[in-house]
Short mmCIF file of all heavy atoms in Angstrom, two decimals:
data_model
loop_
_atom_site.label_atom_id
_atom_site.label_comp_id
_atom_site.label_asym_id
_atom_site.label_seq_id
_atom_site.Cartn_x
_atom_site.Cartn_y
_atom_site.Cartn_z
N GLY A 678 -34.20 -33.39 -38.42
CA GLY A 678 -35.09 -32.43 -37.80
C GLY A 678 -35.15 -32.67 -36.29
O GLY A 678 -35.20 -31.72 -35.48
N ASN A 680 -32.84 -33.95 -34.36
CA ASN A 680 -31.59 -33.47 -33.72
C ASN A 680 -31.57 -31.92 -33.50
O ASN A 680 -31.18 -31.39 -32.51
CB ASN A 680 -30.41 -33.88 -34.61
CG ASN A 680 -30.11 -35.35 -34.48
OD1 ASN A 680 -30.44 -35.97 -33.46
ND2 ASN A 680 -29.46 -35.92 -35.49
N SER A 689 -32.05 -24.32 -24.46
CA SER A 689 -32.97 -23.61 -23.58
C SER A 689 -32.87 -24.10 -22.15
O SER A 689 -32.94 -23.36 -21.21
CB SER A 689 -34.38 -23.76 -24.09
OG SER A 689 -34.50 -23.30 -25.41
N LEU A 693 -31.78 -22.02 -18.88
CA LEU A 693 -32.62 -21.97 -17.67
C LEU A 693 -31.82 -22.32 -16.44
O LEU A 693 -31.97 -21.72 -15.36
CB LEU A 693 -33.83 -22.91 -17.86
CG LEU A 693 -35.00 -22.35 -18.60
CD1 LEU A 693 -36.02 -23.46 -18.92
CD2 LEU A 693 -35.70 -21.22 -17.86
N ILE A 741 -20.08 -11.93 -16.24
CA ILE A 741 -20.22 -10.58 -16.78
C ILE A 741 -19.52 -9.64 -15.81
O ILE A 741 -20.05 -9.25 -14.80
CB ILE A 741 -21.70 -10.18 -16.94
CG1 ILE A 741 -22.44 -11.25 -17.68
CG2 ILE A 741 -21.80 -8.84 -17.62
CD1 ILE A 741 -21.91 -11.56 -19.04
N ALA A 792 -9.50 26.64 43.44
CA ALA A 792 -9.22 26.29 44.84
C ALA A 792 -8.05 27.14 45.36
O ALA A 792 -8.06 27.57 46.53
CB ALA A 792 -8.89 24.82 44.95
N GLU A 843 -1.75 -11.41 10.11
CA GLU A 843 -2.28 -12.79 10.01
C GLU A 843 -3.36 -12.86 8.91
O GLU A 843 -3.40 -13.88 8.15
CB GLU A 843 -2.90 -13.22 11.39
CG GLU A 843 -1.85 -13.50 12.42
CD GLU A 843 -2.52 -13.95 13.73
OE1 GLU A 843 -3.71 -14.22 13.74
OE2 GLU A 843 -1.77 -13.95 14.79
N VAL A 889 -2.70 -3.33 -3.04
CA VAL A 889 -2.30 -4.47 -3.86
C VAL A 889 -2.53 -4.16 -5.34
O VAL A 889 -3.32 -3.31 -5.68
CB VAL A 889 -3.12 -5.75 -3.52
CG1 VAL A 889 -2.78 -6.24 -2.15
CG2 VAL A 889 -4.62 -5.48 -3.66
N ASP A 955 5.20 10.31 15.13
CA ASP A 955 5.49 11.27 16.21
C ASP A 955 5.46 12.69 15.67
O ASP A 955 5.81 13.65 16.44
CB ASP A 955 6.83 10.95 16.84
CG ASP A 955 8.00 10.95 15.86
OD1 ASP A 955 7.75 11.33 14.71
OD2 ASP A 955 9.10 10.60 16.29
N GLU A 988 9.89 28.83 46.06
CA GLU A 988 10.30 30.15 46.56
C GLU A 988 9.48 30.57 47.82
O GLU A 988 9.82 31.54 48.50
CB GLU A 988 10.10 31.20 45.49
CG GLU A 988 11.06 30.99 44.26
CD GLU A 988 10.72 31.88 43.10
OE1 GLU A 988 9.77 32.73 43.25
OE2 GLU A 988 11.33 31.80 42.04
N THR A 996 10.39 25.57 53.46
CA THR A 996 10.54 26.18 52.11
C THR A 996 11.27 25.20 51.24
O THR A 996 11.72 24.15 51.64
CB THR A 996 11.22 27.51 52.19
OG1 THR A 996 11.20 28.16 50.91
CG2 THR A 996 12.67 27.36 52.64
N ALA A 1026 3.10 26.26 50.09
CA ALA A 1026 3.87 27.46 50.32
C ALA A 1026 3.06 28.68 49.84
O ALA A 1026 3.19 29.11 48.64
CB ALA A 1026 5.22 27.44 49.68
N LEU A 1041 -0.51 34.13 45.42
CA LEU A 1041 -1.00 35.01 44.34
C LEU A 1041 -0.12 34.90 43.11
O LEU A 1041 -0.61 34.91 42.00
CB LEU A 1041 -1.05 36.47 44.85
CG LEU A 1041 -2.09 36.73 45.92
CD1 LEU A 1041 -2.02 38.22 46.40
CD2 LEU A 1041 -3.55 36.47 45.43
N GLN A 1087 -13.45 9.00 0.25
CA GLN A 1087 -13.14 7.67 -0.31
C GLN A 1087 -14.35 6.76 -0.37
O GLN A 1087 -14.55 6.01 -1.27
CB GLN A 1087 -11.98 7.00 0.49
CG GLN A 1087 -10.64 7.61 0.22
CD GLN A 1087 -10.17 7.40 -1.17
OE1 GLN A 1087 -9.75 8.39 -1.78
NE2 GLN A 1087 -10.30 6.27 -1.74
N ALA A 1122 -41.28 -24.33 -27.16
CA ALA A 1122 -41.40 -24.28 -28.61
C ALA A 1122 -40.63 -25.49 -29.18
O ALA A 1122 -41.09 -26.14 -30.15
CB ALA A 1122 -40.83 -23.00 -29.18
#
Side-chain angles (χ1 to χ4, degrees):
N680 285 337
S689 301
L693 278 169
I741 309 301
E843 288 180 11
V889 293
D955 58 6
E988 296 172 2
T996 187
L1041 293 176
Q1087 284 299 130

